[in-house]
Amino acid sequence: MLRPKPALTLIRCALISTCVALFALTACSSAELLLHGGETQVKREPRPPEPGPYVLIFAFDGAGYDQLMTAIQSGKAPAMAGMLGKPEGGGLYQYAYSVPNAVSILPSTTIAAWSAIFTGAPTAWNGVPGNEWFVREKMKFYAPVPVSVQEMDDNRAMITDGLVGKSLKSPTLFQQAGVKSAVSLNPVYRGADYFTVIDPVSMVSLYTEFLARGGGENSPEKMDIYEQLDKDSVPKLLASMKDHGVPKIQVVYFPGIDLYTHLATDPLPMEVAYLETVTDPLVARILDAYRNYGILDQTYIVVIADHGHTPVLKDARHALGAGSNEGPAAVVKAAGFRPRKFVLNPGNNEQDYQAAFAYQGAIAYVYLADRSTCPNPAMTCDWKRPPRYRQDVLPVARAFYNSNKTGKPVQTMKDTLDLIFARVPTPPGKNTLEYEIFDGHRLVPIWEYLIRHPRPDLLQLDRRMQWLSAGPYGNRSGDILLLSRSGLNQPIQDRYYFSAPYHSWHGSASMQDSHIPLIVARKDYPGAKLKQLVDKVAGSQPSQLALVPIVRALLTSQPPAAPAVPPAKPGPDQSATPAAKSR
């Protein structure tokens, strides 16, 4: 979603062209969805309505723990505050439990995090490692949320054709639970019965506005376009409930929080204001619908986010851009590699690259070829073979280390990196090894490095890097991983990120990016019992990976006596109250 400013006009034209082209292709199911918005039936034979308990998941994109809790405690978010009840300390509330120490996976960024959240599987096992990534054995680049490239093709396919779900190698919550499920807007919806989106004209307009403002500023009075994205999604999901009954699992995804915060000139306070003035009324509207059905007291409410945001300086010096003669690409060039162009699909005469990149904000993946298979220009590398450790990986790791320390060979990279990770490459068909830290001379296991150089600011670094890098799909996070200097413990002038210039970013292992809200609530239900259930499932080091087992445990709990299906409300409000239906 984040693009260099010079490309904005081109992208806007491409979006408009895409929309026109799709109007000519309405026979295609994905085109129908994008053209008309509303609801698509994902499962061929949707499940019939079922009795409670129900699980309602509010998925807040980009809402950091501190920002959400500040909004809830401010008195300006009555729906969310009322949902929790009176605070009792330690994350315990009258009717809820807010896990005080839940963390994201790495990278703490949108697509990787939601993929982990809704599969419960670590990144190296679910196969989706970021907003964009490179599959070496196919020489295929994926960018459902483009950062280093400009094309929007995969972004559109994410919405209309389930690109993220098709890329996942692990079953989703909806497949695992085996109950009637519905998803609003979230990119992970494989296995759900229904998926709801807003209409295409609004989508094109919203993305165009977001891209246009990427080179400008944001302000409270300019939050209207992001508010509209979140607001327009709610009637679609409520209409789906009206037609098909309340699902056992309903996911309500609000992406506007993240879009707004990336461009906000004072990101963290302005995010709090957005949560209070935009998000909370939408939460209230959905809770009212469940209340009108008479099932709110049978519904577990879960609130979770993918990551937080760290304020950064919006300039070319701190944005480590995506050009073949700058930043990371300049470093690999200096090390003797031919870098891949920063495009979604290079031309037929541009397939001779020996290095590729995928950006995740505070993290960048560097993919390397075995250069012995393609020593000369115009030769295509055999990307099915892993790179050689001494001849390919080490030269690039040293080039990044030296550029960061001394400014040689690339001056603009000096003092921009926090840590450089690498590993001995693994042949295809075997689980990859965990990343280790390159100290300028050798690779050092992360646990060993942390004993010598304690980094409490990088939360659970060893554990989370293992999730990312060690597994059957661990090579999708590259052969070298760069972690930029970031975090609120650094002065803002010392924070860097891999992207075009913006006012905030995320992706790091810092507290601000990684500390996420994870709340379980239920009307008139003791918070202490909810805490007991969550603690039993999530353990002493809770993370996003706990959502799937938590939801499955909630579904097997014993609810109060309830009718078989959500009842229709009698009287004059009958038309506004869904009757449970099944196809």
Side-chain angles (χ1 to χ4, degrees):
M1 69 181 75
L2 306 175
R3 225 83 51 222
K5 183 179 177 182
L8 296 179
T9 304
L10 231 140
I11 296 168
R12 287 197 293 271
C13 291
L15 280 169
I16 295 168
S17 300
T18 297
C19 191
V20 171
L22 282 173
F23 270 103
L25 296 171
T26 52
C28 170
S29 61
S30 64
E32 288 281 0
L33 175 60
L34 187 60
L35 286 168
H36 303 301
E39 165 205 289
T40 183
Q41 180 178 310
V42 181
K43 191 171 176 61
R44 181 168 294 181
E45 294 183 6
R47 304 168 183 88
E50 303 172 71
Y54 304 93
V55 178
L56 171 62
I57 303 172
F58 287 107
F60 293 165
D61 201 304
Y65 176 88
D66 289 342
Q67 284 63 57
L68 180 60
M69 299 315 294
T70 297
I72 289 174
Q73 295 163 10
S74 69
K76 299 177 182 178
M80 289 189 283
M83 182 174 73
L84 274 60
K86 296 178 181 178
E88 298 178 359
L92 191 62
Y93 288 79
Q94 187 178 8
Y95 308 123
Y97 177 53
S98 173
V99 180
N101 60 332
V103 299
S104 68
I105 51 89
L106 284 177
S108 49
T109 197
T110 300
I111 301 300
W114 291 121
S115 295
I117 287 170
F118 286 117
T119 60
T123 307
W125 291 81
N126 71 41
V128 175
N131 284 351
E132 51 184 38
W133 67 92
F134 181 65
V135 177
R136 59 184 306 125
E137 60 271 22
K138 297 180 180 179
M139 290 183 68
K140 172 70 174 173
F141 192 83
Y142 291 86
V145 176
V147 182
S148 70
V149 302
Q150 302 173 7
E151 297 92 332
M152 297 289 290
D153 303 52
D154 281 1
N155 182 263
R156 185 178 67 251
M158 174 183 73
I159 299 167
T160 65
D161 199 33
L163 175 64
V164 175
K166 290 179 178 178
S167 301
L168 284 169
K169 304 301 182 181
S170 301
T172 66
L173 164 65
F174 319 111
Q175 292 171 305
Q176 294 181 50
V179 298
K180 187 173 182 178
S181 308
V183 176
S184 170
L185 286 187
N186 193 276
V188 182
Y189 58 88
R190 190 182 78 193
D193 293 72
Y194 298 100
F195 175 59
T196 54
V197 293
I198 67 171
D199 71 86
V201 175
S202 295
M203 288 178 69
V204 171
S205 174
L206 289 167
Y207 280 116
T208 301
E209 282 292 325
F210 175 74
L211 294 170
R213 287 181 183 171
E217 303 296 347
N218 209 345
S219 61
E221 63 271 14
K222 287 183 178 179
M223 68 168 64
D224 56 314
I225 62 168
Y226 317 105
E227 175 182 356
Q228 204 62 41
L229 174 61
D230 289 344
K231 285 178 65 175
D232 286 352
S233 67
V234 173
K236 306 295 184 182
L237 74 90
L238 293 180
S240 181
M241 285 185 189
K242 180 178 181 180
D243 289 341
H244 310 295
V246 179
K248 289 277 280 187
I249 300 173
Q250 172 69 60
V251 175
V252 183
Y253 176 54
F254 290 138
I257 306 163
D258 180 66
L259 295 170
Y260 178 70
T261 307
H262 272 294
L263 300 180
T265 52
D266 192 6
L268 302 185
M270 291 170 73
E271 179 176 277
V272 172
Y274 187 99
L275 290 164
E276 294 168 346
T277 59
V278 178
T279 309
D280 191 70
L282 297 177
V283 169
R285 185 173 176 186
I286 294 166
L287 294 179
D288 283 345
Y290 275 72
R291 187 177 292 109
N292 289 338
Y293 288 134
I295 59 169
L296 186 59
D297 61 346
Q298 304 167 49
T299 302
Y300 291 101
I301 301 161
V302 180
V303 178
I304 193 168
D306 50 349
H307 56 76
H309 271 265
T310 297
V312 292
L313 290 177
K314 185 176 179 289
D315 58 40
R317 172 73 183 94
H318 294 84
L320 305 174
S324 58
N325 296 311
E326 60 181 346
V331 175
V332 300
K333 261 189 172 182
F337 284 72
R338 299 188 298 270
R340 184 183 187 275
K341 288 187 67 175
F342 287 91
V343 295
L344 189 63
N345 297 301
N348 292 334
N349 61 343
E350 298 171 326
Q351 300 293 324
D352 63 344
Y353 53 86
Q354 300 166 319
F357 305 89
Y359 284 178
Q360 322 298 334
I363 281 176
Y365 301 151
V366 185
Y367 306 83
L368 301 173
D370 177 345
R371 287 183 293 172
S372 69
T373 67
C374 51
N376 301 319
M379 296 180 68
T380 301
C381 301
D382 182 0
W383 281 91
K384 293 180 180 179
R385 290 175 57 173
R388 301 161 298 170
Y389 176 63
R390 296 194 177 279
Q391 299 93 328
D392 300 315
V393 176
L394 275 183
V396 174
R398 287 197 188 99
F400 277 112
Y401 186 89
N402 292 333
S403 293
N404 187 51
K405 290 292 183 182
T406 68
K408 295 179 181 180
V410 179
Q411 178 63 36
T412 56
M413 291 296 293
K414 189 174 187 295
D415 296 328
T416 62
L417 302 179
D418 188 345
L419 293 170
I420 298 167
F421 299 83
R423 55 188 167 185
V424 176
T426 305
K430 293 188 176 181
N431 289 354
T432 49
L433 302 175
E434 181 182 359
Y435 269 126
E436 297 181 318
I437 295 174
F438 183 68
D439 68 356
H441 304 284
R442 66 185 182 95
L443 293 182
V444 181
I446 296 174
W447 63 266
E448 181 181 329
Y449 181 91
L450 294 176
I451 290 174
R452 299 177 183 178
H453 312 278
R455 293 296 304 272
D457 58 311
L458 301 179
L459 303 186
Q460 302 177 32
L461 182 64
D462 191 10
R463 180 187 188 217
R464 296 163 75 201
M465 286 299 291
Q466 186 176 27
W467 289 344
L468 171 63
S469 57
Y473 304 100
N475 64 1
R476 295 190 177 185
S477 60
D479 301 295
I480 293 175
L481 184 148
L482 309 174
L483 177 64
S484 67
R485 297 178 68 181
S486 188
L488 296 184
N489 62 314
Q490 299 266 9
I492 193 168
Q493 63 268 21
D494 293 338
R495 302 174 197 162
Y496 296 86
Y497 52 100
F498 300 96
S499 159
Y502 281 85
H503 282 297
S504 72
W505 246 111
H506 46 84
S508 77
S510 73
M511 173 74 78
Q512 179 58 33
D513 286 357
S514 305
H515 190 194
I516 58 154
L518 174 55
I519 302 171
V520 179
R522 181 169 161 183
K523 183 178 182 292
D524 298 330
Y525 196 85
K529 286 190 176 182
L530 296 172
K531 181 181 186 303
Q532 186 178 21
L533 182 148
V534 172
D535 286 348
K536 181 179 179 181
V537 173
S540 60
Q541 292 186 312
S543 75
Q544 292 171 330
L545 301 178
L547 178 91
V548 168
I550 286 173
V551 171
R552 295 190 69 179
L554 295 175
L555 288 171
T556 59
S557 68
Q558 295 299 318
V565 295
K569 185 177 178 181
D573 292 330
Q574 178 77 30
S575 61
T577 305
K581 297 181 181 179
S582 170
R583 294 185 180 182

